Amino acid sequence: MRLDTINPQAVKAEYAVRGEIPRKAHQIERELEHGAKLPYDSVLWTNIGNPQQQPILAQEPLTFWRQVAALTEYPALLHMESTTRDAMFPTDVQERARQLLDSFGSVGAYTNSRGNELVRQHVVDFLHERDGYVEDFDNVYLTAGASAGVQLLFQVFFAPGNDALLIPTPQYPLYSAASALYNVEPVYYTLRSDHDWDVNFDNVREQISVARAAGVNPRAIVVINPGNPTGSCMTKDEIEQVIELAYNEGLVIFADEVYQANVYQNERPFISFRKVLLDLGKSSDPRKRDMSQIVELVSLHSISKGMTGECGRRGGFFVLNNFDKDVDAEVLKIASLNLCPPAQGQIGVDLLVRPPREGEPSYDLWKKEVSSIFHTLKDRSELIAKRLGELPGMKVEPAKGAMYVFPRMHLSKSASDAARKVGKKVDEFYCLELLEETGICVIPGSGFSFYPEYLEDGSSYSFFRTTILAKGTDEMVERFVKFHMHFMERFP
């Protein structure tokens, strides 16, 4: 096995959030551990949405989640002497654990390939409560995180070599990497950086025409809402326009909605694609009613984001709307190759869609913890945007949603020239310099397929993504401000 003899599609796949810059950050971290003398004593990991990463991000897990998980992992705790048991575990935690254990039998056992039936029923209940519509139980698949669901569906939906996927730029690089891995042609459409990162529909239609003229067949469109890396939120009208586009062009919609709980303003609340699609069925316009019954929609959700941050448990789900039953049978067949998602990830989905209710013993603590996490993320977003936005050449908006800020930088021609000399794009050069001088690990915009825009004078507009998760946000900002001022002096 050599690089030139293995699967070329694997070689082609790239995933910047764990790519060159994070690898360099790990190297620096090891050097610090071995006593290296650097201008800083720690690496600040702001490259990936991993809220419980210790010790840098260190979001505390929700107590209700860990208590239920503990009882399902070690059921003997349920048989302790009642006084001790009740002191450690509220009665609603015990009741939930018993219910789950009755359904799973053991978290060490396989489940149905679609996922545990009780959990999927609770997802159906969640969808009904969220959107106002009952869902077919068999349209719900539990997955090892939303990413596993995407890769499963890619294997079924796309014929390698000629089929194409419309991907937004900037995009979460899962989609371009999966396209490379499964030999699907990526076709990029732009989001409007000067207009709340809304979809540029003229550009989408243009890209579809160009692809078809080149003999490539766009089969689906990815939409990330709330946006990663942009922190944007879509309006109902924009969602309807995506659905109409899919109807006109015969596209499947991949609605990546894993950040739906991470919305920090009221002007653009989260609205699910599923709700907007099914609402069209109530329209007096027969064309819209037709859309609601024809447009094929995949909705994806995850336990890794929101206020839970349970990335390592690998839990998520997707819902299929308007798909042919024969296609669903093929999805189930491919899901069966992996036997089932992780049991504790499935239990995490149950806790996500059915949290404690008001009046239950765990509710007050759960509500307090969730509120604290939410306001911490909102405050950090505003702080980062304010402080970085005051820097020369920097334009930053607080995140409307998700867990990221995506600043725009105006970098000089001398910075571009310096980057070119070392074989880097200017945004990569900036981010590498930032890491080496400060220990802050961020991802350049080009890692999200959003490349520097070079101006006539040789300067550029470039972007990078930083999370809003760092426990030491104040320290991160101070390091960043000092670096940026120094960088602008070096490359005026």
Side-chain angles (χ1 to χ4, degrees):
M1 290 289 178
R2 301 185 309 274
L3 198 61
D4 62 340
T5 65
I6 63 172
N7 181 355
Q9 301 308 128
V11 177
K12 187 177 178 182
E14 296 183 356
Y15 188 61
V17 295
R18 290 185 182 245
E20 177 191 7
I21 293 173
R23 288 195 297 270
K24 176 70 174 177
H26 279 293
Q27 178 186 329
I28 291 172
E29 194 168 58
R30 286 194 294 271
E31 292 172 0
L32 287 169
E33 290 170 356
H34 287 87
K37 300 299 181 184
L38 298 174
Y40 44 90
D41 59 7
S42 64
V43 172
L44 295 180
W45 295 95
T46 68
N47 61 301
I48 195 166
N50 187 20
Q52 294 188 34
Q53 181 180 2
Q54 303 292 331
I56 301 301
L57 308 184
Q59 177 177 304
E60 291 295 325
L62 298 177
T63 301
F64 180 75
W65 280 58
R66 291 306 174 87
Q67 288 176 329
V68 173
L71 291 177
T72 55
E73 198 70 39
Y74 189 50
L77 293 171
L78 287 166
H79 303 295
M80 287 190 301
E81 192 274 324
S82 60
T83 304
T84 304
R85 184 186 67 230
D86 293 347
M88 293 178 65
F89 299 102
T91 55
D92 57 337
V93 168
Q94 297 177 48
E95 180 181 350
R96 178 70 66 88
R98 287 192 178 95
Q99 186 182 43
L100 289 165
L101 286 167
D102 285 346
S103 184
F104 278 83
S106 168
V107 297
Y110 291 134
T111 69
N112 184 291
S113 294
R114 280 192 176 97
N116 176 272
E117 294 187 0
L118 176 68
V119 177
R120 285 193 289 134
Q121 182 57 54
H122 291 158
V123 172
V124 168
D125 297 340
F126 164 80
L127 295 170
H128 184 202
E129 183 176 348
R130 187 193 69 183
D131 299 334
Y133 297 94
V134 175
E135 189 54 69
D136 185 331
F137 178 75
D138 282 340
N139 288 345
V140 174
Y141 284 76
L142 305 186
T143 59
S147 299
V150 168
Q151 295 195 56
L152 163 63
L153 293 168
F154 270 47
Q155 293 175 68
V156 178
F157 288 175
F158 301 112
N162 190 55
D163 283 354
L165 175 70
L166 289 154
I167 302 172
T169 55
Q171 55 116 5
Y172 175 48
L174 163 68
Y175 295 99
S176 55
S179 295
L181 187 60
Y182 297 109
N183 200 14
V184 177
E185 186 70 25
V187 175
Y188 297 104
Y189 69 90
T190 58
L191 305 178
R192 297 192 291 170
S193 62
D194 59 346
H195 197 279
D196 294 315
W197 296 104
D198 290 342
V199 174
N200 184 336
F201 286 97
D202 289 339
N203 178 257
V204 178
R205 286 184 280 268
E206 178 185 356
Q207 294 304 318
I208 291 171
S209 297
V210 169
R212 287 177 176 158
V216 176
N217 182 25
R219 298 291 307 283
I221 182 169
V222 171
V223 188
I224 306 172
N225 180 46
N228 176 10
T230 62
S232 59
C233 292
M234 297 179 74
T235 64
K236 180 174 179 288
D237 179 65
E238 189 179 8
I239 293 171
E240 282 193 8
Q241 290 183 69
V242 173
I243 292 170
E244 183 170 11
L245 174 83
Y247 178 76
N248 292 336
E249 303 292 347
L251 302 173
V252 173
I253 300 173
F254 277 81
D256 182 333
E257 298 174 332
V258 302
Y259 295 100
Q260 61 189 258
N262 300 99
V263 177
Y264 310 115
Q265 40 72 47
N266 298 320
E267 293 77 20
R268 291 188 171 207
F270 171 76
I271 307 171
S272 75
F273 265 78
R274 178 178 176 270
K275 176 174 174 54
V276 176
L277 177 67
L278 297 179
D279 278 350
L280 292 175
K282 298 177 179 178
S283 173
S284 59
D285 183 343
R287 190 167 183 274
K288 290 186 176 182
R289 293 199 303 272
D290 199 33
M291 289 181 203
S292 74
Q293 299 173 31
I294 288 179
V295 172
E296 295 159 304
L297 171 67
V298 180
S299 305
L300 298 135
H301 200 8
S302 170
I303 68 172
S304 298
K305 310 306 176 185
M307 306 307 120
T308 56
E310 293 283 355
C311 301
R313 290 187 185 275
R314 309 313 301 135
F317 66 86
F318 64 77
V319 186
L320 301 178
N321 284 108
N322 293 332
F323 280 87
D324 184 277
K325 291 301 180 185
D326 290 339
V327 173
D328 176 71
E330 295 304 309
V331 173
L332 177 58
K333 180 178 72 179
I334 300 304
S336 300
L337 295 178
N338 290 320
L339 299 173
C340 71
Q344 280 293 355
Q346 296 185 52
I347 287 171
V349 171
D350 191 82
L351 302 174
L352 174 72
V353 300
R354 199 165 67 107
R357 301 290 185 180
E358 190 168 4
E360 294 178 346
S362 297
Y363 176 80
D364 287 343
L365 177 58
W366 173 85
K367 184 70 174 177
K368 179 181 177 182
E369 290 174 344
V370 166
S371 177
S372 175
I373 293 167
F374 176 86
H375 287 290
T376 296
L377 294 176
K378 182 176 184 292
D379 291 347
R380 286 173 179 168
S381 168
E382 292 172 351
L383 171 64
I384 292 170
K386 179 179 184 298
R387 292 295 306 280
L388 270 58
E390 294 169 348
L391 295 173
M394 194 81 73
K395 180 181 178 182
V396 195
E397 297 291 338
K400 288 182 170 63
M403 295 177 171
Y404 314 101
V405 175
F406 199 58
R408 188 187 79 173
M409 306 174 289
H410 184 208
L411 299 179
S412 66
K413 179 180 183 299
S414 60
S416 298
D417 292 341
R420 196 174 297 110
K421 286 180 181 178
V422 294
K424 299 294 180 185
K425 303 178 187 70
V426 67
D427 59 344
E428 293 173 334
F429 177 73
Y430 181 94
C431 293
L432 280 165
E433 292 287 301
L434 173 68
L435 173 63
E436 291 176 352
E437 288 193 25
T438 70
I440 299 172
C441 181
V442 300
I443 303 300
S446 55
F448 304 96
S449 306
F450 205 66
Y451 299 99
E453 176 189 352
Y454 292 95
L455 308 179
E456 289 184 1
D457 63 359
S459 65
S460 73
Y461 287 125
S462 301
F463 292 79
F464 68 89
R465 188 192 79 171
T466 178
T467 70
I468 56 174
L469 298 171
K471 181 173 62 175
T473 297
D474 289 328
E475 180 185 355
M476 186 273 280
V477 168
E478 292 306 319
R479 291 192 201 181
F480 191 98
V481 168
K482 183 177 179 180
F483 163 80
H484 184 78
M485 298 303 295
H486 182 222
F487 186 93
M488 299 298 274
E489 289 172 2
R490 288 169 57 202
F491 304 102

